[in-house]
Amino acid sequence: MRFFPIDRENNVLNLKKVVMKKDRKLLIAGNWKMNKTVAESLDLVQQLVRELHQVKEVDILISPPFTALGEVSKKVIETNIRLGAQNMSEHTGGAYTGEIAAEMLKEFLVRYVILGHSERRQHQEESDSLISKKALTAHAASIRPIVCVGETLEQREAGVTNDVVGSQIKGSLAGLTSEQMEETVVAYEPVWAIGTGKTATAEQAQQVHAFIRSVLAELHGSSVANQVRIQYGGSVKPANARELMSQPDIDGALVGGASLDAKSFSEIILNSI
Ligand code: 13P
């Protein structure tokens, strides 16, 4: 079972938190980034299916590179592991050399697509407005977007984390209907915590997650905001997963490095239940 902090002084408040949290099932996702050949992907998937086939309490997602989606798809069909992609075009098809359309992903039963990862914002100069177009295209194809936001170290140190994250949320999710918003996942990934071994403390992460939910409530009302799953990403490991996942507004994880190893990804999931 998930761990909830016990506050004996204030059981009513505590109970409320528990009920709200149970409404949102954890979504723990692996983002394999530009790693794994087809053979390596199949090897990892085989181990994950073995380790995790009994897990029902958490939604499990893996996002291999495009080149491995076809083969991996055959291995996870009829298992509890869902498939995600790491990016997608905002266009539905046509003369866009090198791009991948939503319908092509659907052929492999891709259910989720990671959009606006900070690495794409940085290296491919993806803007909030492009990300919102991609999110709309994903919804039109019934693929759920996982929209990433997060501040850099300089921004955190300058005390503008909420300004940055708030503006990314408003820009990257612009134009979504409330129904689409409910089916969208937000991933808060502080840039300074990605691949650095420096995790945000559970309190730091919870603060930003609660702020994100308040911005979503401003945009779509609190009942929609309470449905949206907000993942944390940035150096999630077996050792810190439980504390992070026990926070009231943290509804899952987007795991990079530790998702490349079957044992550590499985432990993150099992430690979060
Ligand atoms: P790490 O878990 O390697 O820090 O990466 C996080 C991430 O970018 C997931 O999308």
Side-chain angles (χ1 to χ4, degrees), residues 31 33 117 119 189 193-195 234-236 254-257:
N31 173 10
K33 307 192 180 183
H117 191 281
E119 287 150 13
E189 299 205 312
I194 297 177
S235 298
V236 176
L254 188 51
V255 185

Side-chain angles (χ1 to χ4, degrees), residues 10-265:
N10 198 344
N11 278 329
V12 177
L13 185 73
N14 205 36
L15 184 66
K16 231 189 206 166
K17 269 188 197 165
V18 170
V19 171
M20 277 182 51
K21 283 201 77 165
K22 282 190 173 165
D23 283 349
R24 298 186 299 264
K25 195 172 179 188
L26 288 180
L27 172 64
I28 300 195
N31 173 10
W32 295 4
K33 307 192 180 183
M34 198 171 71
N35 295 292
K36 305 283 180 196
T37 61
V38 173
E40 290 165 350
S41 299
L42 290 176
D43 185 45
L44 176 52
V45 161
Q46 201 172 13
Q47 295 179 59
L48 290 175
V49 170
R50 204 169 43 228
E51 299 280 331
L52 297 170
H53 68 278
Q54 283 180 323
V55 174
K56 294 187 184 65
E57 299 87 341
V58 173
D59 287 334
I60 304 169
L61 183 72
I62 52 171
S63 312
F66 289 128
T67 47
L69 283 175
E71 290 302 312
V72 170
S73 177
K74 293 180 204 159
K75 297 287 175 209
V76 297
I77 204 164
E78 292 178 7
T79 73
N80 55 344
I81 298 178
R82 299 278 164 270
L83 206 52
Q86 298 175 23
N87 178 39
M88 197 196 80
S89 172
E90 72 276 28
H91 302 291
T92 51
Y96 298 99
T97 302
E99 293 291 300
I100 306 276
E103 288 301 324
M104 299 168 182
L105 298 177
K106 285 191 75 177
E107 280 192 297
F108 301 127
L109 305 177
V110 164
R111 315 286 182 102
Y112 292 83
V113 61
I114 300 169
L115 297 177
H117 191 281
S118 62
E119 287 150 13
R120 295 198 63 84
R121 289 179 186 263
Q122 187 191 341
H123 304 302
Q124 274 74 32
E125 297 183 12
E126 290 199 357
S127 65
D128 289 332
S129 110
L130 175 67
I131 295 158
S132 81
K133 286 187 191 128
K134 291 185 177 197
L136 288 165
T137 306
H139 278 299
S142 302
I143 295 177
R144 295 178 185 194
I146 299 178
V147 174
C148 305
V149 297
E151 81 288 0
T152 62
L153 185 58
E154 295 71 36
Q155 291 164 333
R156 174 161 283 267
E157 283 173 349
V160 294
T161 297
N162 285 3
D163 296 339
V164 170
V165 170
S167 131
Q168 288 175 334
I169 288 284
K170 288 180 182 162
S172 308
L173 301 171
L176 293 191
T177 64
S178 293
E179 288 72 27
Q180 289 171 331
M181 191 63 239
E182 284 182 2
E183 299 296 324
T184 300
V185 177
V186 173
Y188 168 58
E189 299 205 312
V191 177
W192 49 270
I194 297 177
T196 58
K198 278 191 209 165
T199 327
T201 64
E203 291 73 25
Q204 280 173 324
Q206 165 55 26
Q207 263 174 13
V208 182
H209 281 237
F211 169 72
I212 290 172
R213 204 174 301 285
S214 76
V215 177
L216 297 177
E218 215 181 281
L219 296 171
H220 293 279
S222 59
S223 95
V224 172
N226 284 333
Q227 299 285 323
V228 177
R229 290 192 284 190
I230 308 177
Q231 295 177 310
Y232 169 78
S235 298
V236 176
K237 302 276 181 288
N240 57 28
R242 180 184 292 267
E243 197 192 359
L244 285 161
M245 295 308 114
S246 68
Q247 299 302 309
D249 287 293
I250 299 185
D251 311 311
L254 188 51
V255 185
S259 75
L260 298 174
D261 174 70
K263 188 165 177 284
S264 60
F265 189 58

